[in-house]
Structure formats: C-alpha cells, structure tokens
Amino acid sequence: MSFLNGTSLTPATFILNGIPGLEEVHMWISFPLCTMYSIAITGNFGLMYLIYSEEALHRPMYIFLALLSFTDVLMCTSTLPSTLCILWFNLKEIDFKACLAQMFFVHAFTGMESGVLMLMAICCPLRYAALLTNSVIAKAGLLTFLRGVVLVIPFTFLTRRLPYCRGNVIQHTYCDHMSVAKIPCGNVKVNAVYGLMVALLIGGFDILCITVSYTMILRAVVSLSSVDARQKAFSTCTAHICAIVITYVPAFFTFFTHRFGGHSIPPHIHIIMANLYLLMPPTMNPIVYGVKTKQIQESVTRFLLKGKDSSSQTFT
C-alpha cells in the first residue's frame, strides 16, 4: 500500500471492495443498477426539457420540480459510474482525494435533495403563484445549495485528519462518510457526533417542516368547496408525498442501520440499500410526477402531438 506525502497514516489510494459476500454475482447486480440509472438519466433530463420547453409548466411548482430533477441527476451520477466500474471491470482503486471528493458530493447532493423536497412542501402548493417569484425561487434554491455545501464540507476535513493505520480497504461500492470512518484507528467520536448533528439539521429539520406544512395543506384541501379543485390538489399532494416516501425511507434505513444495526444486518444489505438510497428517488420521481400530475401528462401529450405535426409537415 502506498502512502500520501510519505506518511504511514494517510493512504494514497483506497480500495472499494464492492459488495462483500456477493462478488460472484457482481455482474448480475450491475444490470438492475444500470437499468435504474439509465431510467433516471433519461427521465430527469426529459422532465427538465419538458418544463423548459412547455410554457404551461413555467410555474413555481414545476421550476422546483426541475431543480429536483437536476439534483437527482447529480446525486446518482456522483456514485453510479464508479460503482459500475467496480461491478463490471473490478476497478476498485480510488485516489484518496478523489474518495474525499466523492464523499463530499454524495452528502451535499443528498442534502440538496432533502432541501428541495422541503421547499416544495413549505411553499404551499395551493398558492404557489401568489407567494413565489423567480427571484424568491432562485434565492431559495441557492440557500438550499449553500446549506448542503457548508454543512458537508467539514466531513472532508474531519475524515482527512484521521490516521488510517488499519489499511485502506473500504467495504462499499463508493466513498461515504460512515464507511470511510470505519477504517481509521484513531478516535472517530467527533466524526460520529458531527454526522448525527448534520443528519438532524438536514433530514430532521426538513421532515419536521414537511410534516407541519402538509398538515396545514391537507386541512386546506379538505375545506375546498370545489370537488375538481380538491381532486387536483390531492393529486399534486399525492405525487409529492410519494416522492418524500421514496427519498426518506431508504435514507433513514441506511442512516439508522449504519449506527444502530451494524451487527444484526449483513454488510451486503447495507451496501445494496445505500445504492438504492441514491438511485430510487432519481428513478422514481419522474415516473411518479408523470403519472400523478395531470398538467405534466397534458404537456407530454401536447409535446408529442407537436412533434407529430412537425413530422407530417416535413413529409408533405
């Protein structure tokens, strides 16, 4: 094992060991992951293009949805290409600094994902147009981005300072804070406490805001006199609630099992769930919003008919 700057405490590279115990089926595991990644990239880029090109979707709710899609693409791309290289080609070595960079991006983008979902909830979907301007949306998105960056940057410094005298093998398919922090032989209590604090400041705070907001929203929806308006509002709320469940259930499973279920749950379950936690939201969000949101369905129909008309004119 080579070391950074000539020291015996910081390795020049880490070895990402993939999914321990399932090495013989790495290739088979890669196919569903690759399929989900392809769906995520295609669906989210398609949704962003649709929102950009359809004037009817130039509304705050859909701008936030485009921001969510953009974050989803960044989140899954921060890990899946390198994960597939491990599963397909057994390319397990990663530079120490590249590992820290990947760790930063993974946690920053997941924090941004949570923040965008919170913004979509607390900005009161029933009165988007009245409350939000382009300036407010831009500032809210920027603050969400800065929150994730500022809170996650210390992870890299806290991890870099640790002495890695137990080796350089990470039992994972990508670098995340808890997996890297299991290797050092020094005191990682500060890392653990800070990790818990960040989880509460981002995930805990966002969940609290979403819960309060949706309690108020559902009360407002029930009080609507128009049946059509009530159904439309329920449809919008249902899509967003599905996106919240898809995002937070795998996230909380990964978080709590890392800290409290380490010995009772097999490592390969941890790692598979950690990959799904980054893949499920990007894969499912475009599908959920496409199925549950009538305005997006209508915009897709108009877009397809427009393309069909253009093709007909070309041949005539």
Side-chain angles (χ1 to χ4, degrees):
M1 181 174 71
S2 57
F3 297 95
L4 198 63
N5 298 329
T7 174
S8 61
L9 299 179
T10 305
T13 60
F14 282 121
I15 304 297
L16 290 166
N17 212 24
I19 307 176
L22 298 179
E23 290 84 357
E24 293 183 0
V25 293
H26 271 182
M27 183 62 70
W28 293 106
I29 294 172
S30 70
F31 288 124
L33 294 181
C34 183
T35 301
M36 291 176 71
Y37 181 58
S38 300
I39 294 171
I41 295 298
T42 304
N44 284 291
F45 272 116
L47 190 55
M48 285 188 284
Y49 180 76
L50 183 70
I51 292 170
Y52 170 78
S53 61
E54 286 291 310
E55 190 174 347
L57 298 180
H58 292 178
R59 293 163 53 190
M61 173 185 169
Y62 302 108
I63 295 173
F64 277 128
L65 184 54
L67 181 59
L68 182 66
S69 290
F70 180 68
T71 305
D72 280 340
V73 169
L74 295 177
M75 185 171 72
C76 61
T77 301
S78 66
T79 62
L80 254 294
S82 60
T83 296
L84 292 175
C85 284
I86 295 169
L87 300 180
W88 284 343
F89 310 114
N90 207 34
L91 298 176
K92 297 182 176 183
E93 191 172 83
I94 183 171
D95 182 78
F96 179 79
K97 292 180 180 178
C99 184
L100 293 183
Q102 185 181 55
M103 181 178 67
F104 167 78
F105 287 125
V106 166
H107 293 291
F109 292 144
T110 53
M112 288 172 60
E113 170 95 358
S114 178
V116 174
L117 288 172
M118 176 193 67
L119 289 176
M120 293 176 74
I122 66 174
C123 287
C124 192
L126 302 180
R127 293 185 293 148
Y128 266 126
L131 295 176
L132 298 177
T133 63
N134 289 339
S135 175
V136 171
I137 294 170
K139 289 176 182 177
L142 179 61
L143 286 174
T144 300
F145 170 77
L146 290 176
R147 182 190 69 162
V149 170
V150 169
L151 289 177
V152 171
I153 279 178
F155 277 138
T156 58
F157 295 103
L158 290 173
T159 305
R160 186 183 178 88
R161 70 179 176 83
L162 296 170
Y164 293 88
C165 46
R166 290 179 183 167
N168 67 335
V169 178
I170 300 173
Q171 303 295 339
H172 213 301
T173 56
Y174 61 85
C175 295
D176 78 329
H177 178 242
M178 289 304 298
S179 297
V180 176
K182 289 179 179 179
I183 302 175
C185 52
N187 188 352
V188 296
K189 186 175 181 179
V190 175
N191 293 63
V193 170
Y194 185 74
L196 183 60
M197 184 182 75
V198 169
L200 292 174
L201 286 174
I202 295 179
F205 176 77
D206 291 352
I207 282 289
L208 177 62
C209 290
I210 289 169
T211 301
V212 172
S213 178
Y214 263 90
T215 300
M216 297 171 64
I217 289 168
L218 291 174
R219 287 177 61 187
V221 169
V222 171
S223 65
L224 290 173
S225 57
S226 170
V227 176
D228 290 339
R230 196 182 306 136
Q231 289 178 344
K232 182 179 177 181
F234 268 125
S235 178
T236 301
C237 292
T238 302
H240 192 54
I241 290 170
C242 288
I244 291 167
V245 171
I246 290 166
T247 298
Y248 284 109
V249 169
F252 280 124
F253 177 89
T254 301
F255 176 80
F256 285 115
T257 54
H258 254 310
R259 286 161 176 79
F260 309 114
H263 301 292
S264 59
I265 298 176
H268 62 271
I269 299 296
H270 278 293
I271 296 168
I272 290 172
M273 286 301 299
N275 280 278
L276 291 178
Y277 144 62
L278 296 179
L279 258 181
M280 282 287 288
T283 303
M284 296 303 298
N285 284 345
I287 298 172
V288 168
Y289 281 101
V291 170
K292 290 290 185 180
T293 309
K294 185 178 179 181
Q295 291 89 337
I296 291 179
Q297 294 173 3
E298 292 173 349
S299 295
V300 170
T301 302
R302 282 196 301 270
F303 182 79
L304 293 175
L305 290 175
K306 191 187 303 180
K308 186 177 179 181
D309 291 341
S310 300
S311 300
S312 300
Q313 292 174 6
T314 302
F315 286 108
T316 57

